[in-house]
């Protein structure tokens, strides 16, 4: 079964959330659909028949951590998934691999399925193996990875319209799958209704993580359809 995860980032509105719930509730997809809206909109997905996820969580259960959300509360709000270590959080909010690992551990403790985002910057493109190894170091050989999903998002592909070639992506995917044999793997970066099919045909890719295109309902439905087609 293919997976389609929508990362709305800090976009959307109450109106968009209500439209998405209405439209996507009419779809019986054979793909697993997960929408990750901003935390402030999670409550609007109460009647959503697919899955919802958070875009981040903190690693403590409660306390004086103004502005943060605990995995426990996210679970209570109906989340089954949480994105962790997105490149925007690493760059803008200085999240380190160690902090992401603590968040991973707290999320798993609440039975949230973590989607850990990894990927190299443009200037690191020649060194992608080192970058990815470093980002994966805390998880390689870990015994508690059954529910963990990894998402390869080359930073140079996010929001640029440029995606890796089939052979480039194939090489990265087999490298990650070798390190994380039992985990599902998504690709993210400029995914849309036109390229989702070819991306899904790459051996080892289990689904897609969609940013910009996930805010347009028709486009997102197209992607869900393409992923479902490739999942047979
Ligand atoms: P775009 O699909 O807009 O390139 O964003 C990808 C992304 O960052 C998803 O997490």
């Amino acid at each position: 079964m293919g997976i389609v995860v929508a990362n709305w980032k800090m976009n959307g509105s109450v109106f968009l959330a209500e439209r998405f719930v209405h439209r996507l509730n009419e779809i019986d997809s054979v793909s697993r659909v997960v929408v990750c809206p901003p935390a402030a909109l999670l409550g609007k997905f109460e009647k959503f028949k697919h899955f919802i996820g958070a875009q981040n969580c903190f690693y403590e259960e409660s306390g004086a951590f103004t502005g943060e959300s605990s995995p426990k509360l996210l679970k209570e709000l109906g989340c089954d998934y949480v994105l962790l270590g997105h490149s925007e959080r690493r760059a803008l909010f200085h999240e380190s691999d160690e902090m992401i690992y603590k968040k991973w551990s707290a999320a798993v403790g609440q039975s949230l399925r973590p989607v850990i985002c990894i990927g190299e910057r443009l200037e690191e493109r020649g060194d992608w193996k080192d970058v990815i190894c470093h980002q994966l170091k805390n998880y390689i050989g870990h015994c508690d990875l059954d529910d963990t999903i990894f998402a390869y998002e080359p930073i140079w592909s996010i929001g640029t319209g440029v995606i890796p070639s089939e052979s480039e992506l194939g090489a990265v995917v087999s490298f990650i799958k070798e390190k994380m044999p039992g985990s599902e793997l998504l690709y993210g970066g400029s995914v849309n209704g036109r390229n989702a099919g070819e991306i899904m045909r790459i051996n080892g890719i289990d689904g897609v993580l969609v940013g910009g295109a996930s805010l347009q309902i028709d486009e997102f439905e197209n992607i869900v359809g393409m992923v479902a087609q490739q999942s047979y």
Side-chain angles (χ1 to χ4, degrees):
M1 182 195 271
I3 313 164
V4 189
V5 181
N7 175 10
W8 282 12
K9 310 192 179 186
M10 201 178 70
N11 297 299
S13 60
V14 169
F15 177 71
L16 191 71
E18 287 169 354
R19 255 187 84 215
F20 258 70
V21 171
H22 181 72
R23 282 276 295 271
L24 291 179
N25 276 359
E26 288 172 355
I27 297 182
D28 279 318
S29 178
V30 293
S31 317
R32 200 183 326 147
V33 177
V34 183
V35 176
C36 303
L41 286 177
L42 282 168
K44 292 284 157 197
F45 285 78
E46 209 177 351
K47 299 200 169 70
F48 196 44
K49 74 172 198 188
H50 305 277
F51 295 97
I52 54 168
Q55 297 174 12
N56 177 35
C57 70
F58 197 53
Y59 47 76
E60 297 287 352
E61 197 174 297
S62 62
F65 305 104
T66 303
E68 295 296 319
S69 305
S70 72
K72 191 167 186 241
L73 275 183
L74 294 171
K75 191 77 193 177
E76 226 178 291
L77 272 177
C79 289
D80 283 302
Y81 291 79
V82 60
L83 303 179
L84 293 178
H86 191 279
S87 58
E88 286 146 21
R89 295 215 55 90
R90 292 177 191 260
L92 299 170
F93 303 99
H94 312 294
E95 290 197 4
S96 64
D97 288 320
E98 277 55 49
M99 187 189 274
I100 295 160
Y101 178 68
K102 281 164 88 172
K103 292 180 172 196
W104 170 83
S105 181
V108 168
Q110 291 297 329
S111 307
L112 283 171
R113 293 197 67 178
V115 179
I116 299 186
C117 304
I118 57 175
E120 78 285 1
R121 293 195 294 260
L122 182 61
E123 62 273 26
E124 297 168 327
R125 217 168 151 180
D127 302 318
W128 61 265
K129 279 190 182 167
D130 291 344
V131 174
I132 287 173
C133 266
H134 203 264
Q135 291 169 334
L136 289 178
K137 70 178 186 304
N138 290 318
Y139 312 96
I140 294 172
H142 207 294
C143 59
D144 203 7
L145 286 169
D146 285 355
D147 287 333
T148 298
I149 298 172
F150 290 91
Y152 173 58
E153 296 206 300
I155 297 167
W156 48 270
S157 175
I158 296 178
T160 59
V162 182
I163 63 168
S165 70
E166 201 181 315
S167 64
E168 278 175 317
L169 191 48
V172 180
V173 166
S174 44
F175 182 78
I176 297 172
K177 281 275 170 165
E178 209 175 282
K179 305 260 171 236
M180 297 293 150
S183 297
E184 288 173 314
L185 178 62
L186 312 180
Y187 167 78
S190 296
V191 175
N192 57 40
R194 292 175 306 288
N195 61 25
E198 65 186 90
I199 291 167
M200 285 303 295
R201 278 194 290 276
I202 291 173
N203 201 17
I205 292 193
D206 302 296
V208 288
L209 175 53
V210 190
S214 74
L215 291 157
Q216 298 152 30
I217 183 78
D218 293 332
E219 184 75 4
F220 188 64
E221 278 186 358
N222 271 340
I223 296 171
V224 171
M226 297 303 298
V227 170
Q229 259 181 37
Q230 298 303 325
S231 307
Y232 284 113

